[in-house]
Amino acid sequence: MKKMLLILALSVFGFANAQKGTILVGGNIGYTSDTYDYQSNKVKATSFDFSPKAGYQFHDNWTVGAEFKVSSSKQEGDLNKTKSNSFKAGAFVRYTVPLSETFSVFGDLGAGFQNRRNKAYENDPLISDAKADGIYVGLTPALFINMKKGFGLNFSIGGLGYETLSYDNNGVDVKSFYFNFGKTVNIGISKNF
């Protein structure tokens, strides 16, 4: 009976770890919706983001590739409305350490270009339209759980990063450093071909 359970467990969770010469495809998708009820105003905030990535595993532990992120958010009240759209495009390098056939840990180091556009409305007319460009760099450690045949789940609980945004028309210049381990949780999927 023990042998049967072991064979069943290996067939369900067993998987050849990603090997040199394979293609990695993965990403995250997210959506949030919040409603704030003030005494005189009700505000609804929504956000959506999609961040795919694809890479080539040139070594048993190393992968390089391209990453993208598209996000959109909107906050709408009785009289005011704000919209924000952003886009990131860059490259990443990943170092993976297999712990077993089922579990691996990895670190992603990504860097690239980003832009953002913020619009503000008051009683429907547009009162502000700001555009910004900048760069980003980030390090994200994560856990990979191999489900079956190269398909798996990625779990991360934060990261470390630096971003800049420079707004047009003598607008503000933003420089951000973040260290948010334990503050955020991301779950993504990936597949090695």
Side-chain angles (χ1 to χ4, degrees):
M1 181 68 168
K2 288 182 183 178
K3 287 182 182 180
M4 283 300 285
L5 289 175
L6 180 61
I7 291 171
L8 179 63
L10 288 175
S11 66
V12 171
F13 294 106
F15 147 117
N17 284 322
Q19 296 174 349
K20 180 179 173 179
T22 61
I23 302 293
L24 169 75
V25 177
N28 295 336
I29 189 166
Y31 175 80
T32 60
S33 177
D34 297 310
T35 302
Y36 306 97
D37 230 343
Y38 300 106
Q39 291 177 352
S40 61
N41 192 12
K42 186 175 184 177
V43 177
K44 183 172 182 179
T46 58
S47 66
F48 170 79
D49 65 74
F50 176 60
S51 53
K53 61 173 52 180
Y56 177 73
Q57 187 157 355
F58 65 92
H59 183 271
D60 286 341
N61 299 92
W62 290 96
T63 305
V64 295
E67 62 184 7
F68 305 95
K69 182 174 184 177
V70 177
S71 59
S72 175
S73 63
K74 180 169 62 169
Q75 186 169 331
E76 201 167 357
D78 291 338
L79 302 174
N80 301 329
K81 178 169 52 173
T82 59
K83 292 181 179 180
S84 178
N85 294 313
S86 62
F87 175 76
K88 292 182 179 182
F92 75 93
V93 61
R94 174 180 290 185
Y95 184 75
T96 305
V97 176
L99 303 175
S100 69
E101 287 188 12
T102 305
F103 297 100
S104 298
V105 292
F106 65 87
D108 273 356
L109 176 63
F113 168 80
Q114 66 177 345
N115 68 24
R116 180 176 295 163
R117 185 173 187 178
N118 300 325
K119 291 182 178 183
Y121 301 85
E122 188 172 315
N123 292 329
D124 248 356
L126 180 68
I127 59 170
S128 171
D129 188 359
K131 298 176 188 174
D133 293 321
I135 60 167
Y136 73 92
V137 62
L139 176 64
T140 306
L143 172 69
F144 173 76
I145 299 176
N146 184 2
M147 301 306 282
K148 191 174 185 182
K149 296 183 181 177
F151 176 78
L153 299 174
N154 302 314
F155 294 92
S156 67
I157 56 167
L160 174 71
Y162 178 75
E163 297 183 353
T164 65
L165 281 170
S166 179
Y167 282 88
D168 293 346
N169 302 324
N170 296 321
V172 69
D173 288 339
V174 179
K175 295 177 182 171
S176 302
F177 171 78
Y178 63 88
F179 179 80
N180 60 2
F181 288 103
K183 188 176 177 184
T184 63
V185 174
N186 289 310
I187 301 171
I189 59 171
S190 62
K191 170 78 171 138
N192 277 82
F193 296 95

